C-alpha cells in the first residue's frame, strides 16, 4: 500500500468540511443497518474517516484510482485509528473488473462530473455486480435537471470543467437515471443538498 500514514501525505479537499455533515444526515436514512460501504473515488480520504466515525456499525472500504489519493487515504486512516476502515483499494470505476466482489452499499461523491461518462457507466455496472437486490448506490454532486433551472454557479462550474477536459461536465439526471436502469439499478429518491448539489439514491433490482 502506498505511503505509511505520514501526515505529510494527506491531501485536503476544502469542500469536504462543508458538505460532510449534510451528506451524513442523508446517509443515516439511506444506509443499511449493517454491512460494508464501498466508497468509489474516495479522493483525499477525508469523507470516509468522517463517515466511519459517524456510522461505527458499518464497515467502510475506501478506494481510488490515483496513487496519490491512496497515499492520502492511508494517512487519514492511520490518523483516525478506526477499526471499521479497511485499507484503500486501487479501483478504477470504468474497469470491467473491480478488486472487490461484494458490498452492502456503494457511495460515490463528486466523481460523476469530474470523470469521463465511461466512469459513470462503469460505476453502475460495478455496483450492479456487487450489490444484493434492494441494496443502495448513493451519489452526491451537482447535476443538471430537466425542467429545473440550473444555478448560475453550477453553469460556471460546468464551463470550467469542460474547459479543462471535454469529457467532464455536469450530467443530466435523466441520462444518469437511464444509464442506471440499463445496468439494473432503479432510481429511488432525490434529495436537494446545500450549494446546489443533489444526492441520488438507486437500488439494485
Amino acid at each position: 500500500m502506498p505511503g505509511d500514514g505520514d501526515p505529510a501525505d494527506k491531501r485536503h479537499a476544502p469542500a469536504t468540511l462543508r458538505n460532510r455533515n449534510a451528506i451524513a444526515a442523508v446517509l443515516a436514512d439511506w444506509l443499511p443497518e449493517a454491512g460494508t460501504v464501498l466508497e468509489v473515488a474516495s479522493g483525499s480520504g477525508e469523507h470516509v474517516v468522517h463517515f466511519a466515525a459517524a456510522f461505527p456499525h458499518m464497515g467502510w472500504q475506501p478506494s481510488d484510482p490515483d496513487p496519490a489519493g491512496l497515499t492520502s487515504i492511508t494517512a487519514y486512516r492511520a490518523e483516525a485509528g478506526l477499526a471499521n476502515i479497511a485499507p484503500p483499494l486501487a479501483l478504477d470505476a470504468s474497469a470491467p473488473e473491480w478488486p472487490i466482489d461484494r458490498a452492502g452499499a456503494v457511495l460515490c461523491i463528486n466523481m460523476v462530473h469530474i470523470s469521463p461518462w465511461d466512469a459513470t457507466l462503469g460505476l453502475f455496472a460495478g455496483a450492479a455486480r456487487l450489490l444484493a437486490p434492494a441494496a443502495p448506490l448513493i451519489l452526491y454532486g451537482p447535476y443538471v435537471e430537466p425542467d429545473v433551472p440550473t444555478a448560475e454557479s453550477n453553469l460556471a462550474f460546468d464551463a470550467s470543467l469542460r474547459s479543462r477536459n471535454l469529457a467532464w461536465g455536469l450530467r443530466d439526471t435523466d441520462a444518469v437515471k437511464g444509464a442506471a436502469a440499463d445496468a439494473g439499478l432503479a432510481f429511488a429518491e432525490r434529495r436537494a443538498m446545500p450549494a446546489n448539489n443533489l444526492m441520488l439514491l438507486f437500488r439494485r433490482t
Side-chain angles (χ1 to χ4, degrees):
M1 175 52 55
D4 58 3
D6 188 331
D9 292 330
K10 293 191 299 183
R11 292 177 161 186
H12 173 56
T16 304
L17 298 179
R18 298 192 295 268
N19 63 32
R20 63 187 186 181
N21 289 327
I23 294 172
V26 179
L27 292 180
D29 293 337
W30 289 357
L31 288 178
E33 294 184 359
T36 295
V37 182
L38 169 65
E39 185 185 23
V40 176
S42 298
S44 67
E46 294 167 278
H47 274 134
V48 75
V49 297
H50 182 76
F51 299 149
F55 303 98
H57 59 291
M58 304 295 298
W60 291 84
Q61 177 60 73
S63 72
D64 205 82
D66 180 5
L70 297 174
T71 297
S72 181
I73 297 163
T74 298
Y76 276 106
R77 175 177 179 265
E79 179 183 66
L82 297 173
N84 62 329
I85 308 177
L89 297 174
L91 187 155
D92 179 349
S94 64
E97 295 184 5
W98 290 3
I100 180 173
D101 57 12
R102 185 178 303 175
V106 177
L107 172 65
C108 187
I109 297 171
N110 284 334
M111 181 202 83
V112 171
H113 58 289
I114 315 180
S115 61
W117 182 239
D118 282 350
T120 297
L121 298 179
L123 171 67
F124 292 150
R129 290 193 302 270
L130 268 59
L131 296 173
L137 165 65
I138 300 168
L139 306 183
Y140 170 91
Y143 293 88
V144 174
E145 296 184 276
D147 303 321
V148 177
T150 303
E152 289 296 329
S153 59
N154 277 1
L155 290 174
F157 184 36
D158 180 62
S160 173
L161 290 171
R162 294 178 190 277
S163 72
R164 293 163 58 191
N165 188 322
L166 290 175
W168 297 359
L170 274 60
R171 310 301 181 186
D172 183 292
T173 53
D174 279 357
V176 171
K177 293 172 187 177
D182 289 344
L185 298 156
F187 175 69
E189 191 174 343
R190 165 202 180 276
R191 294 273 183 99
M193 302 296 287
N196 301 307
N197 289 290
L198 298 175
M199 286 186 72
L200 303 177
L201 172 64
F202 299 86
R203 292 195 181 277
R204 181 72 170 92
T205 57

